[in-house]
Every structure is written in C-alpha cells, then in structure tokens.
Amino acid sequence: MLEKALEGNNRYWAWIFFLLGVITIGGLFYVHQFHYGLGSTGMSRDVSWGIYIAQFTFMVGVAAGGVMLALPLYIHDYKVFGKIAILGEFMAIAAVAMCLMFITVDLGQPMRIMNVLLHPTPHSMLFWDMIVLNGYLFLNVVCGWGILHSVYKEVPPPKWAKPLVILSVPWAFSIHTVTAFLYCGLPGRHFWLTAILAPRFLASAFAAGPALLIIIALIMKHMGCFDPGKEAIQKLTTIIIYAAITNLFFVGLEFFTAYYSNVPEHMATLNYLFWGVDGHNSLVYLMRFGMFIGIAGIIMLLFQKFRQSDGWLGFCLALIFASLWIDKGVGFVLAGFVPNPFDRITEYYPTLSEISIALGVWAAGALILTLLYKIALKVEFKED
Amino acid sequence: MDVKRRKFLKIAGLSAVAGLAAPSAFNLLLNKGEALATEGRSGAKSEAHGEKSGETSRQYGMVIDLERLQRSPGLAEKCIHACNTEHNIPQYNNPKDEIKWIWLDDYRHSFPEHSQYKKNTALAKLPVVLLCNHCAHPPCVRACPTKATFKNSDGVVMMDYHRCIGCRFCMAACPYGARSFNWRRPREKDANGKYKFFPDGVNPEFPMRMRGVVEKCNFCAKRTLAGRLPACVEACGDSKALVFGDINDPKSEISQVLKAKYTIQRKPAAGTEPSVFYII
Ligand code: SF4
Ligand code: SF4
Ligand code: SF4
C-alpha cells in the first residue's frame, strides 16, 4: 500500500520537494539550536515558552478536531461522512506528529525525553499529556491504516476496528482537556487559571480542525483529485460555525469575568493583549485583527451566498482558521507570561532560527499529511 | 445467597483488594531506582524524589529582615555575591540569558499583590532580597514530569541537573519567578581558555551546569548537610538580617523570630505556603 505514495504527477513532486526544502532549512537551524542551546530563540527567563509550545497547543486542537467527523459517523452512523472520515483520521496523525515534534524541539535536553517514561510522575500533567497524545496517535494510526488496508484488500473492515474507532472519540476530547490542564492548573498565571479553559480549547479545536480539513478538501477538489461531496462539506461547515460561535462566547465570558469583577490580575493579560500596557503592545494589532477576521468569517458564513460557493467558503474558513491560530497559536501561550510574577512586562519576539524551525515542523506535518492523503485517495477512490 | 449476589460480592471484594494494592504497587513503581546521586546527597540513602514533608518533618526556612538589610548598605549585595561565587552562577550581563538564584528588587515589584496605594517613601526604597521560597506545596514539583525537581526531607526543593529534560514546565508553574533556565552553555571559554561567564573564578566544590536545564536556589543543601549555614546567611555575619533554620522546630531560632515578629510571605493566595518570610 505504501508504494501508492510514490505515484504522482509533476505538481505532486514539486510540492513534495518544496516541503523537503523547508524541512531541510528548519533542520539546519535545529542543528544550530541543538548545539548552542535554546538561547537561539527569543525566549527568556520571563517568557519561558514561545511559539513552539504555542504551536503545540494549537496542533493538539487540530488533531482533536478530527473527531467532528468520527463522532457523527461512528456513533450516530451518519453515512455522509463515510467518505471523508479517513481524511480526519489521517489529519489527526499528522497533527499529533507535529505536536510531538514541537515538544521535542522545545526541550533543553531532548536526548533525555525518555526520562518522562523512566520516571513516571502521575502528579505532572505533562506526563499525562504524553500518554494521551501517544495513545491518540496509536489509535488513529491503527484505525486509519487498518480500515484503509481492508479497502485495499477488498475485504470488510476488521472486527477490532469498531471498538477502537469508538474509543478514539472520547480520547480526542481527552487530549485537549489534558492539554488545557497543563495551563489551567498553575497558580499565579491568572490568564490561564480558568476552569473554562478546557471547553474553550475544545470549542476552538472543533472549529479549527474541520476548517482546515475542508480547506484541504476544497483544494483537492479544485485540482480534480477528489470530491468529498457537497452534503458532507455543508454539514461540516454548520458544525464549524457552531463551534466557532461557542468559542467566541467563551472568550466573551473571559472578558466579562475579568472586567466586571475588576480584579487586577484577571484584567492584566487581557489589557496587554488587546490594549497594550505602558507602551508594550507587540501583540495588540495582531490580536485585534484575529478577533476581527474571526467574527467576519462567522458572519459571512451565515449567508448562503458565501456558503454555497467553494471559493468564498474556503476564504471564510481560512479567516476563521487564521483567527483561531492567532488566538491560540500565538496570543494564548505567550501572553500567559505577561505580566511576569513581579508585575513587569517582558515582551517576546521569535528569532529567525525559531521561526524557521517552526516552519520546518509545519512542513514536516504537511508532508506526512500529503503522503497519507495520497495513499488514501489512491486506495479508497482509485483517484489521483 | 443467590448467584447474582455472590458474584457481586466477589467483584466488590476483588476490586477492594485491587484498590488497596494498586496504590502501593504504584508507589513501588514510583520509587524504584530512585537512589540517584543528586547534588550534595550522594551516598545518602534515597529519601528525596517525590517525598512529601508533613508538619512534623523538617522544613528549612528563612526570615529576611529588610530594615536590617537597609541599615548596612552593601550587605544585600554581599549576600548575593556569596551565592553567586559559591554556586558558580554565570554572569551573562543580559536579561535574556540571565540566571539568578538570589537577587534584589523593590517593594512594589516584590509584593505586587499588596496595595501600593499611598505607601510611605521609605518603603519604596526598601531593598527586597528575593529567592526561591521552598514552598510547602511547591507547584514546580507538582508540574515536573520527571521528578527532576523534588522536595527533600529537609523541606528543601532541589534540582537534579542530570534528570531535567528542560521542558520548563516548572518555570511556568512557579508563581515567584524563582527559576532560571540555561539558555546557553555556561562553561563556554574564550580564546585564552578562560571561562567567559565566571569573572570571579569557579568554585570546584560545586558543579557547573550544562545548557538546557533549569536551576534555582537550593538553600545550600550541601552546606547545611555539613552543619554550616547557607552562604548568603553566613555573608550577613552577626547582623541577623537573614535568619535560617527549621521552621517546624518550635525551639529553633527562626521559630522564635517568627513568633515574636510580624512577617509576611510573597503571594500567600497562591496556596504554596512559602518558607521565606519577610520583616518589613
Ligand atoms: S518558589 Fe517557585 S521554585 Fe521555589 S519551591 Fe516555590 S514554586 Fe518551586
Ligand atoms: S525543566 Fe526540568 S525540572 Fe523543570 S519541569 Fe522540566 S524536567 Fe522538571
Ligand atoms: S540559600 Fe544558598 S543557594 Fe539559596 S540564595 Fe542563599 S546562598 Fe544561594
């Protein structure tokens, strides 16, 4: 079945080599970071996590988002998603692989990563995160591959697949819940210390994951290699709108609690993010822009005109996806460290090296996704 | 007894046994192979990783008398210098790479949660010495996925530099900004083969760290084990600006001071129960 990944036209190979190029650049920067230390990034004593962990957090959401296909299909037997469910599973594989890569490049001593398993520490949320993420990867690899293989061999799906795909549904919720626990269990980081964090993470995940999936599906459709079917796309869009609105609602709740209560610690980070504090405003315009395009994307999708045209639909979903990325893949993690425990503000700017490594990981994820989708399309639909 | 009921009892009994046995089996798993050499503890029986200290066990702590510190100018700097040389703290002279175990700040930023409204001017000028609080319930220890940071039987929160993976979860967890990360190699040498970041030389008694690990004040665990006072406390001489001892021992000097004086802790609302107290 693997050999299917090696059949493709020039456009396919150009894309593959482009990705390999980006990965190589990231890899070279990583070699430097590995030898010099994480000082090659923009992180500091005050902002001790940067875009690596922010991307990690966001990608956990993308991985969990695939469940919005699996849940209707496997629990409610909603057959319309039958054709694209495998795409959701494979997207989850690529996303979790990216999560693991982002964690690894963020470690000061990556060669010791096995210490997490050698010295299991149940009171640490990072230990649990490692377990649920690897478990989710395993579930998706086994289910996705198993189901596809049975299609390839033209036999019915194996019996063990059904309980595993059903298990993967609550498991998807668990990966993002535990990831939220990394943040919301820390005293002294008031922006993160909120019980609504896990549901907020899940809501944004259920919008971001499927949005990316539709965008990719639309691109594939446009290139003539695959049509997921109109009904599936429309249904998924409805799910995305609900999830995105829920996420906005949760964000609104955070604003209300902070500003109505008027508790300084609760307002501090939101002030910094959206208004700037004492001239420190590196994220203000980005955050406002993100908020604006998110709302714009949702409103546009309420009109059938935009929903029914592939071009507009892709555009609106891209707006929503970008908005969620700015919110979670940039602002959420970085701003959690502002102000620092001494009520001072240290701003963080990623370095070229850091950005290149992050792009390298994104490219590696895209490569995994491309190869998996190639195989899936060839096998399942005998299409290119 | 009908079959259903017997079956139920059997299951209930089994799960009770499992419930009793599981935690201890788990503990066994957790403590397996923990006899690791950590700074200042080599040779000693493993009593360290993951162990909780209760009220009855030792809890080292410190009382810092800010007025006494202010009365002798330069004393605070002397304490800091003592720690820096004792523990080979690299001097990078830039805030991005900065490593510090003990340092100075003003009242306003040391106690940001206190009202700063209409405070007298003397307070604004008060030099506050800051260091790890060796919390009774340390969130850094809770967060660490490898037990590289742990509370020892003296109540001191320690670091195992050889186990730390450099994930910096503990830095996000500490509400006091007490932890530093080695963003680069502290042992770097210049063209003449001299250490770049140790202008005052290196103390061979204490290990230099490697890049990629977290470090912080260890309450001079190695010195206290040998019956000596922490370097910063010793540097204060007889001024009594810094008092160190077991806060769980009612007869200790520090307990007497705590009983006699009004002291405050940093961020009590974080629930960490700091073991460092300040007399304002
Ligand atoms: S002050 Fe910070 S580093 Fe020290 S024990 Fe408390 S939480 Fe841990
Ligand atoms: S950086 Fe080291 S000490 Fe801190 S949480 Fe990670 S492994 Fe533990
Ligand atoms: S107790 Fe020891 S390690 Fe801690 S600040 Fe004082 S000298 Fe440094």
Side-chain angles (χ1 to χ4, degrees):
Chain A
M1 205 154 78
L2 271 175
E3 76 284 353
K4 299 283 183 204
L6 298 176
E7 303 162 12
N9 54 18
N10 286 342
R11 218 166 40 181
Y12 173 71
W13 284 109
W15 171 241
I16 297 283
F17 279 108
F18 166 74
L19 291 177
L20 286 174
V22 179
I23 294 171
T24 310
I25 296 171
L28 290 176
F29 275 107
Y30 184 67
V31 171
H32 174 254
Q33 178 189 300
F34 188 85
H35 286 289
Y36 179 83
L38 282 163
S40 64
T41 68
M43 292 183 271
S44 64
R45 202 176 179 284
D46 285 331
V47 184
S48 47
W49 278 339
I51 50 168
Y52 296 151
I53 293 296
Q55 299 311 293
F56 153 77
T57 308
F58 182 74
M59 289 323 290
V60 175
V62 172
V67 80
M68 285 294 107
L69 296 166
L71 194 148
L73 175 66
Y74 298 120
I75 310 275
H76 299 288
D77 206 25
Y78 183 68
K79 291 267 175 358
V80 177
F81 284 167
K83 210 171 163 192
I84 55 171
I86 187 88
L87 300 187
E89 270 149 20
F90 281 175
M91 193 168 83
I93 294 177
V96 178
M98 283 173 71
C99 291
L100 298 176
M101 282 187 266
F102 274 121
I103 292 234
T104 310
V105 297
D106 185 69
L107 290 184
Q109 289 284 342
M111 308 299 272
R112 297 183 188 163
I113 192 165
M114 278 305 151
N115 281 0
V116 178
L117 298 177
L118 290 176
H119 311 285
T121 312
H123 54 67
S124 169
M125 285 303 121
L126 204 55
F127 165 74
W128 289 109
D129 212 33
M130 184 132 164
I131 292 190
V132 290
L133 277 176
N134 281 301
Y136 194 61
L137 182 63
F138 173 80
L139 278 178
N140 278 288
V141 167
V142 169
C143 298
W145 202 256
I147 292 172
L148 199 63
H149 198 72
S150 64
V151 177
Y152 182 58
K153 294 276 178 213
E154 294 173 351
V155 292
K159 279 221 167 51
W160 49 260
K162 182 85 185 175
L164 286 189
V165 288
I166 288 176
L167 177 64
S168 79
V169 171
W171 206 286
F173 284 79
S174 84
I175 61 169
H176 222 18
T177 304
V178 177
T179 305
F181 286 175
L182 292 181
Y183 299 100
C184 67
L186 305 179
R189 307 274 177 197
H190 292 273
F191 183 56
W192 295 341
L193 189 73
T194 163
I196 209 174
L197 195 63
R200 193 179 142 196
F201 269 16
L202 286 167
S204 81
F206 295 157
L212 184 63
L213 193 100
I214 296 190
I215 293 171
I216 295 173
L218 287 176
I219 293 173
M220 292 197 299
K221 180 180 167 192
H222 190 70
M223 294 196 317
C225 38
F226 166 68
D227 185 1
K230 190 152 188 83
E231 194 186 341
I233 290 213
Q234 288 302 325
K235 201 39 139 214
L236 209 47
T237 305
T238 308
I239 293 176
I240 293 169
I241 295 175
Y242 274 114
I245 290 176
T246 310
N247 181 54
L248 262 186
F249 173 63
F250 287 160
V251 173
L253 295 182
E254 294 285 6
F255 271 87
F256 173 81
T257 305
Y259 288 103
Y260 193 83
S261 72
N262 202 37
V263 175
E265 289 95 346
H266 288 280
M267 298 188 290
T269 302
L270 286 175
N271 281 342
Y272 168 69
L273 274 178
F274 288 93
W275 284 273
V277 176
D278 302 335
H280 298 282
N281 54 4
S282 62
L283 288 173
V284 169
Y285 294 105
L286 188 67
M287 291 307 292
R288 289 185 189 168
F289 173 72
M291 191 62 93
F292 173 76
I293 59 173
I295 294 173
I298 294 174
I299 292 178
M300 283 169 75
L301 279 184
L302 297 180
F303 295 97
Q304 286 303 321
K305 172 174 179 294
F306 296 120
R307 272 184 78 156
Q308 299 302 334
S309 120
D310 282 358
W312 279 114
L313 178 63
F315 176 73
C316 295
L317 291 175
L319 288 184
I320 293 178
F321 184 79
S323 156
L324 295 168
W325 180 77
I326 291 170
D327 178 37
K328 203 152 108 195
V330 181
F332 176 78
V333 173
L334 308 188
F337 292 101
V338 183
N340 74 1
F342 311 100
D343 205 16
R344 283 210 178 81
I345 293 179
T346 306
E347 291 194 285
Y348 155 90
Y349 298 95
T351 59
L352 175 69
S353 157
E354 203 175 358
I355 293 173
S356 307
I357 293 173
L359 285 176
V361 175
W362 271 93
L367 183 68
I368 297 174
L369 193 70
T370 308
L371 298 178
L372 288 176
Y373 276 14
K374 183 82 191 165
I375 297 171
L377 295 187
K378 283 257 179 190
V379 170
E380 195 145 348
F381 314 115
K382 316 271 184 286
E383 293 174 73
D384 286 322
Chain B
M1 216 191 291
D2 64 338
V3 183
K4 251 196 186 151
R5 191 172 146 75
R6 267 197 15 223
K7 205 167 161 195
F8 168 76
L9 282 178
K10 222 158 120 189
I11 292 173
L14 268 179
S15 32
V17 169
L20 284 176
S24 51
F26 214 43
N27 278 338
L28 238 123
L29 195 78
L30 291 182
N31 297 328
K32 196 176 65 187
E34 301 267 277
L36 258 194
T38 46
E39 44 167 87
R41 292 238 154 248
S42 42
K45 188 179 129 280
S46 163
E47 53 192 345
H49 288 282
E51 184 172 312
K52 284 216 180 72
S53 80
E55 262 298 299
T56 49
S57 57
R58 223 190 334 255
Q59 172 66 61
Y60 280 144
M62 198 185 276
V63 172
I64 301 178
D65 189 327
L66 297 180
E67 230 161 16
R68 286 187 189 198
L69 268 181
Q70 200 180 25
R71 234 179 283 154
S72 351
L75 188 59
E77 287 79 4
K78 210 170 120 195
C79 299
I80 294 169
H81 188 73
C83 180
N84 286 354
T85 46
E86 171 88 13
H87 298 110
N88 298 324
I89 312 290
Q91 305 297 316
Y92 295 116
N93 300 320
N94 77 59
K96 207 174 91 59
D97 293 329
E98 183 178 38
I99 291 184
K100 51 189 181 187
W101 288 20
I102 174 168
W103 66 99
L104 272 177
D105 208 331
D106 55 18
Y107 178 84
R108 152 92 182 76
H109 293 98
S110 304
F111 299 96
E113 74 285 2
H114 288 224
S115 164
Q116 310 294 334
Y117 184 60
K118 304 226 180 216
K119 282 279 180 283
N120 64 7
T121 39
L123 199 63
K125 288 202 210 94
L126 210 56
V128 184
V129 172
L130 300 171
L131 69 163
C132 167
N133 286 297
H134 298 277
C135 308
H137 310 291
C140 55
V141 171
R142 211 181 306 145
C144 179
T146 61
K147 301 191 198 81
T149 191
F150 58 93
K151 205 162 167 61
N152 76 8
S153 57
D154 292 335
V156 178
V157 175
M158 303 277 286
M159 274 298 306
D160 180 344
Y161 306 125
H162 298 282
R163 189 185 281 193
C164 174
I165 59 172
C167 63
R168 308 187 299 295
F169 198 11
C170 53
M171 294 177 78
C174 171
Y176 304 99
R179 301 182 150 257
S180 305
F181 182 71
N182 285 278
W183 297 104
R184 52 190 298 187
R185 271 188 85 218
R187 295 178 212 192
E188 212 171 289
K189 290 182 179 169
D190 60 14
N192 305 323
K194 276 190 61 181
Y195 288 116
K196 269 180 166 169
F197 306 119
F198 302 103
D200 300 330
V202 167
N203 171 15
E205 300 286 302
F206 200 80
M208 277 178 279
R209 273 71 71 193
M210 59 287 273
R211 61 160 158 56
V213 300
V214 166
E215 59 179 77
K216 63 168 199 73
C217 156
N218 61 8
F219 257 1
C220 288
K222 201 170 171 181
R223 294 172 65 109
T224 53
L225 202 68
R228 299 168 69 195
L229 281 174
C232 55
V233 179
E234 196 179 84
C236 283
D238 298 326
S239 71
K240 296 274 177 233
L242 267 53
V243 177
F244 178 86
D246 179 7
I247 58 174
N248 283 350
D249 173 6
K251 288 194 282 296
S252 67
E253 183 190 1
I254 189 168
S255 294
Q256 305 305 321
V257 176
L258 286 171
K259 255 183 247 162
K261 298 274 191 172
Y262 174 74
T263 54
I264 59 171
Q265 292 153 293
R266 291 170 68 199
K267 299 199 181 169
T272 57
E273 293 184 22
S275 309
V276 174
F277 301 81
Y278 293 86
I279 300 175
I280 305 296

